[in-house]
Amino acid sequence: QSVLTQPPSVSAAPGEKVTISCSGSSSNIGSNSVSWYQHFPGTAPKLLIYDDDERPSGIPDRFSASKSGTSATLGIAGLQTGDGADFYCATWDDSLSAGVFGGGTKLTVL
Amino acid sequence: EVQLLESGGNLVQTGGSLRLSCAVSGFTVSAYAMAWVRQAPGKGLKWVSGITASDTIFYADSVKGRFTISRDKSRNTLSLQMNRLRAEDTAVYFCARGRLSDVGFDTWGQGALVTVSS
């Protein structure tokens, strides 16, 4: 059971927009910035978002994120079939003095 | 080119030990925060351990007292010494570079498979 809660799966059609939620608490999302990752099985995870809403160079602006209180949201616009992957939120937890990941959300682009 | 390359993954018996290494190229390992993240078969990513640029060390509760993270500045490597291994430690272990404060890791290795079996 993960400290950060994500929906197990989401799906949408090509061209549409999808959002993935990440719910935490005051000791993690409520007091630290959030990162988001895209992970294709068998490969290295890719950083999509850091510092709540910042994109590393090379990440298209189709990927966006926001945070409010103890929840964060990743948005992916203009879905492409190649976007189908597992997505994870992550942050630091002050109570655990450790990093934490969400359980992951599998995105299916229909 | 910035690159991380893990090695040392293997099959080990329950209760045994294993040392993972992460060879760093393109930057100085001591200048950045580094971490280990693992993924058990069919499961999600789990943060294992991290070390800040100033050498402060953190561990997940599940590995505290059994795993030790370290870095060798002369060899430019990051290591994870794993003792008293359990079946639930079976996973692909990734080393990563970045910030511990938001678990924002911009560079990852390809992973090393550790299998713990009796």
Side-chain angles (χ1 to χ4, degrees), chain A residues 16-109:
Chain A
E16 293 186 339
K17 178 175 180 176
V18 70
T19 60
I20 297 172
S21 62
C22 176
S23 177
S25 67
S26 59
S27 65
N28 43 66
I29 294 178
S31 51
N32 295 289
S33 296
V34 176
S35 296
W36 289 90
Y37 292 90
Q38 179 183 46
H39 188 210
F40 296 97
T43 70
K46 177 193 285 189
L47 180 66
L48 293 176
I49 299 287
Y50 66 96
D51 209 10
D52 291 338
D53 57 7
E54 297 292 326
R55 286 187 310 277
S57 61
I59 301 300
D61 58 8
R62 300 190 298 110
F63 295 91
S64 63
S66 62
K67 187 178 85 172
S68 178
T70 59
S71 293
T73 302
L74 174 71
I76 310 172
L79 278 171
Q80 302 171 1
T81 54
D83 291 335
D86 298 320
F87 291 83
Y88 295 88
C89 59
T91 188
W92 187 259
D93 191 294
D94 292 335
S95 295
L96 298 174
S97 291
V100 290
F101 282 88
T105 299
K106 183 177 182 62
L107 168 64
T108 301
V109 182

Side-chain angles (χ1 to χ4, degrees), chain B residues 41-61:
Chain B
K43 303 295 185 181
L45 300 175
K46 295 289 187 185
W47 189 93
V48 174
S49 179
I51 181 169
T52 67
S54 55
D55 291 336
T56 302
I57 289 173
F58 301 93
Y59 297 100
D61 284 344

